[in-house]
């Protein structure tokens, strides 16, 4: 039987390991550095490095790496050995300087023009708030990544900056309410959805190999129509995979707690326990990597693409976001007293204002070519950002806005923070799967994030826009002669102006799109549409004002995002072309020849022999063969034009307008042809085979 308590965190240099390998004085000093109450000096860094090395060597480790997260939603690492020459032999060394700072190549990673090929130097800096861990027999030290000039080149640095500014502004507001605490930090719990397919069949499809999704594929007779996969009995081989994955994650201190079958065939989900935002993002990156590795051991491939199969649910990564104090108070938890509820409503209204003012930034933070295929259907929210709060809170917002509490007899007596402000139930809402951003009792769930994406960008945005609202609230409330009265007026004005973002209805209903437009909400259906607003002055001012991102860093990120969008679509177009030219077009031609030969041989035997099915199939396949040929040529021409463009933003708009429609036209013809050809004559495993492992 697995000794789970002994296993859990055994590959993490956590507080228990620190206390074991560090002196009492060094351990206390490191704890203070980790919580931000002291700075890290070289003496302490040397002590920590020595202890970390001893701990790692005791686990059989010989190499270390500064593990970081460049702007491509994956992680990067360069392995260095502990071995140092010592006369004719070697010794195992690891210094404080090596712990604190590394120097990977910065020119070949996404930089948005901040680094050129001849400007290769970049630096990694240790993030002591995220524990070092052992992965693949290498000591991994979580770090931030910046350029020689100090610009953030990674996903983590802005996240850490946003956490700090949120702490400052939240503390200002809490002090006005008389709350005693040392710090405030965002906590995040990520639900990771994924598909598992047979590895041999995966290897037979170059679209899955190159892009992570099927670019062609006719729908099988049965998809998720019967809702019989969701929460269903887990297959034996999938359960074995989940067990091994759990143990790998537990060793790394990752609290993988909940797993189940998801809605689509071959789709599953794993959910982690809440932790500090930067740690949660780090752990999710490790989780995705481990999913792929463990799946290989079991003869499967883990697909993390947002829409690997057309016609069934795509995969998201639901981002559950809350705000906590170091004393254990959840600031999104409704209270038991009017005063506590006044504090809760203050933070709720701050979030409402933040989401409404910066709905474009939230959409941008989850934008990708893959996620565009998922949003808007099959339990994925639409691209229109709105906020679900449930009926109970909607009634409170109605009162704050109009002075009338629906269905409450004494509404006219109520005031914020005093008198009879009603108790708010702990779990105030149903769940709305069509809502992009939903309040779920004591946290907010951002359902828009794509399964393959890092959680860093969306949490950076959430933290920063809330910090902005809290800063304005603190300014308005500071020095107020009558705090409760000023607070009531502030919340009334906030709700009255920003209540348009609150929507409790069906996000899939076509009438919502019309209603959202009437309310003045933004609707950016594609990544290119959303990215066009990233450098809007209000967004640049926001990040610069709080020191989260500079204008130069934002421009670099915009360029990278535009480029990634266009590059992924161009890769998909080239893969489609290769599949057509090498496999699909020959398959159509060969099958047409087979049908033609069959028809001719039957006519030779008996001129009156009926062969209507073969004749009509041959005729339709011949038409489809021509359509596929023409559509492929049109796609190739569009891809060539896109590739020749220099500016990433113009390339992205071109791909949206020309490449995506050309890909859709080609796919429609190919998918129809697949249904007319003998399965043994079709060059790729079909959807039924992939989804049901037939």
């Amino acid at each position: 039987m697995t000794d789970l308590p002994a296993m859990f965190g055994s590959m993490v240099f956590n507080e228990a390991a620190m206390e074991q390998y560090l002196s009492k004085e060094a351990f206390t000093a490191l704890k203070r550095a980790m919580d931000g109450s002291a700075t890290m000096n070289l003496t302490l860094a040397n002590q920590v490095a020595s202890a970390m090395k001893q701990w790692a060597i005791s686990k059989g480790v010989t190499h270390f790496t500064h593990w970081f997260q460049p702007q491509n939603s994956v992680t990067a690492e360069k392995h260095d050995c502990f071995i140092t020459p010592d006369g004719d032999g070697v010794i195992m060394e690891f210094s404080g300087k090596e712990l604190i700072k590394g120097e990977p190549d910065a020119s070949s990673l996404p930089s948005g023009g901040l680094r050129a090929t001849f400007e290769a130097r970049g630096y990694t800096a240790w993030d002591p708030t995220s524990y070092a861990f052992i992965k693949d027999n290498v000591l991994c030290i979580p770090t931030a990544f910046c350029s020689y000039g100090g610009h953030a080149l990674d996903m983590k640095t802005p996240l850490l900056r946003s956490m700090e500014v949120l702490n400052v502004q939240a503390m200002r507001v809490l002090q006005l309410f008389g709350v005693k605490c040392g710090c405030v930090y965002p906590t995040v719990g990520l639900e990771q959805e994924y598909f598992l397919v047979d590895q041999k069949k995966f290897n037979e499809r170059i679209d899955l190999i190159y892009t992570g999704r099927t670019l062609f594929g006719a729908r099988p007779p049965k998809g998720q129509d019967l809702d019989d996969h969701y929460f269903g009995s887990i297959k034996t081989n999938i359960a074995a995979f989940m067990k091994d994955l759990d143990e790998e994650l537990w060793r790394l201190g990752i609290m993988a707690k909940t797993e189940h079958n998801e809605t689509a065939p071959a789709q599953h989900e794993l959910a982690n326990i809440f932790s500090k935002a930067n740690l949660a993002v780090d752990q999710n990156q490790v989780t995705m990597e481990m999913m792929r590795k463990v799946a290989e051991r079991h003869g499967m491939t883990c697909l993390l693409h947002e829409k690997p199969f057309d016609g069934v649910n795509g995969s998201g990564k639901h981002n559950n976001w809350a705000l906590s104090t170091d004393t254990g108070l959840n600031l999104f938890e409704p209270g038991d007293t009017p005063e506590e509820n006044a504090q809760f409503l203050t933070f709720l209204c701050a979030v409402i204002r933040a989401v409404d003012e910066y709905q474009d930034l939230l959409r941008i933070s989850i934008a990708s070519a893959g996620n565009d295929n998922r949003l808007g259907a099959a339990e994925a929210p639409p691209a229109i950002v709105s906020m679900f709060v449930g009926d109970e809170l909607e009634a409170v917002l109605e009162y704050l806005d109009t002075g009338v509490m629906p269905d409450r007899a004494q509404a006219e007596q109520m005031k914020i923070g005093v008198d009879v402000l009603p108790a708010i139930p702990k779990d105030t809402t149903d769940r709305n799967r069509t809502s992009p951003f939903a309040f779920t009792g004591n946290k907010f769930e951002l359902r828009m994030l794509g399964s393959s994406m890092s959680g860093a960008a969306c949490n950076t945005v959430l933290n920063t826009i809330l910090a902005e609202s809290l800063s304005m609230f603190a300014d308005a409330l500071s020095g107020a002669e009558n705090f409760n009265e000023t607070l009531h007026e502030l919340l009334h004005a906030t709700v009255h102006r920003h209540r348009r973002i609150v929507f409790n209805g069906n996000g899939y209903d076509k009438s919502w799109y019309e209603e959202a437009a009437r309310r003045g909400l933004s609707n950016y259906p594609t990544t290119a549409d959303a990215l066009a607003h990233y450098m809007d002055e209000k967004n640049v001012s926001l990040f610069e004002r709080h020191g989260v991102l500079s204008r130069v860093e934002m421009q670099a990120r915009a360029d990278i995002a535009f480029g990634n969008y266009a590059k992924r679509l161009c890769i998909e177009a080239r893969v489609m072309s290769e599949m057509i030219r090498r496999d699909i077009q020959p398959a159509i031609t060969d099958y047409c020849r087979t049908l033609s030969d069959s028809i001719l041989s039957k006519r030779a035997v008996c001129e009156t022999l009926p062969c209507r099915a073969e004749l009509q199939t041959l005729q339709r396949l011949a038409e489809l063969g021509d359509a596929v040929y023409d559509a492929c040529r049109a796609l190739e021409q569009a891809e060539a034009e896109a590739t020749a463009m220099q500016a990433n933003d113009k390339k992205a708009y071109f791909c949206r307008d020309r490449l995506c429609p050309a890909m859709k036209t080609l796919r429609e013809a190919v998918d129809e042809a697949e249904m007319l050809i003998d399965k043994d004559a079709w060059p790729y495993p079909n959807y039924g085979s992939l989804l049901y492992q037939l």
Side-chain angles (χ1 to χ4, degrees), residues 628-647:
V628 167
Y629 178 77
D630 292 340
C632 186
R633 289 191 62 186
L635 178 63
E636 289 169 343
Q637 182 179 349
E639 188 277 324
E641 290 182 48
T643 300
M645 293 180 175
Q646 297 300 312

Side-chain angles (χ1 to χ4, degrees), residues 157-172:
T157 301
L159 177 60
L160 293 173
R161 292 171 180 170
S162 73
M163 292 173 66
E164 179 55 33
V165 72
L166 179 55
N167 171 54
V168 171
Q169 300 305 331
M171 288 291 290
R172 289 181 64 201

Side-chain angles (χ1 to χ4, degrees), residues 307-477:
K307 195 73 170 178
F309 301 102
D310 191 38
V312 297
N313 274 21
S315 294
K317 193 199 311 273
H318 302 159
N319 189 90
N320 296 282
W321 176 69
L323 204 58
S324 299
T325 69
D326 61 342
T327 57
L329 177 65
N330 181 349
L331 299 177
F332 294 151
E333 181 87 56
D336 295 321
T337 67
E339 291 77 13
E340 289 173 336
N341 277 335
Q343 177 184 296
F344 161 72
L345 289 173
T346 299
F347 279 88
L348 174 67
C349 289
V351 175
I352 291 172
R353 179 197 174 277
V355 174
D356 184 34
E357 286 284 342
Y358 296 101
Q359 51 190 277
D360 55 346
L361 278 179
L362 269 181
R363 172 67 178 93
I364 290 164
S365 74
I366 57 84
S368 73
N371 213 19
D372 285 353
N373 294 310
R374 165 182 165 262
L375 295 177
E379 298 189 3
I384 302 170
V385 174
S386 65
M387 192 171 167
F388 172 84
V389 298
D391 293 338
E392 289 280 349
L393 288 182
E394 176 68 16
V396 175
L397 295 180
E398 173 72 18
Y399 166 71
L400 289 173
D401 185 11
T402 66
V404 177
M405 176 68 79
D407 301 324
R408 291 191 183 274
Q410 296 181 320
E412 69 279 357
Q413 301 178 18
M414 296 167 53
K415 291 185 179 180
I416 295 298
V418 293
D419 298 337
V420 290
L421 183 69
I424 299 174
K426 295 296 184 183
D427 191 356
T428 67
T429 71
D430 195 354
R431 285 181 175 259
N432 186 333
R433 293 183 179 274
T434 72
S435 177
F437 191 69
F439 182 71
T440 56
N442 61 2
K443 57 183 172 59
F444 290 92
E445 182 181 29
L446 179 67
R447 296 180 60 85
M448 301 180 79
L449 184 61
S451 53
S452 70
M453 303 175 73
S454 166
C458 68
N459 285 294
T460 297
V461 169
L462 286 170
N463 296 340
T464 306
I465 63 178
L466 179 56
E468 169 80 357
S469 289
L470 294 176
S471 173
M472 296 185 66
F473 282 17
D475 290 345
L477 294 171

Side-chain angles (χ1 to χ4, degrees), residues 543-556:
F543 283 120
E544 286 196 316
R545 184 163 53 250
H546 293 288
V548 174
L549 286 168
S550 67
R551 184 181 296 269
V552 172
E553 289 171 328
M554 287 187 67
Q555 186 62 65

Side-chain angles (χ1 to χ4, degrees), residues 31-42:
K31 285 279 291 177
R32 294 181 62 210
M34 290 172 65
D35 65 24
S37 60
T39 57
M40 178 76 64
N41 57 48
L42 186 57

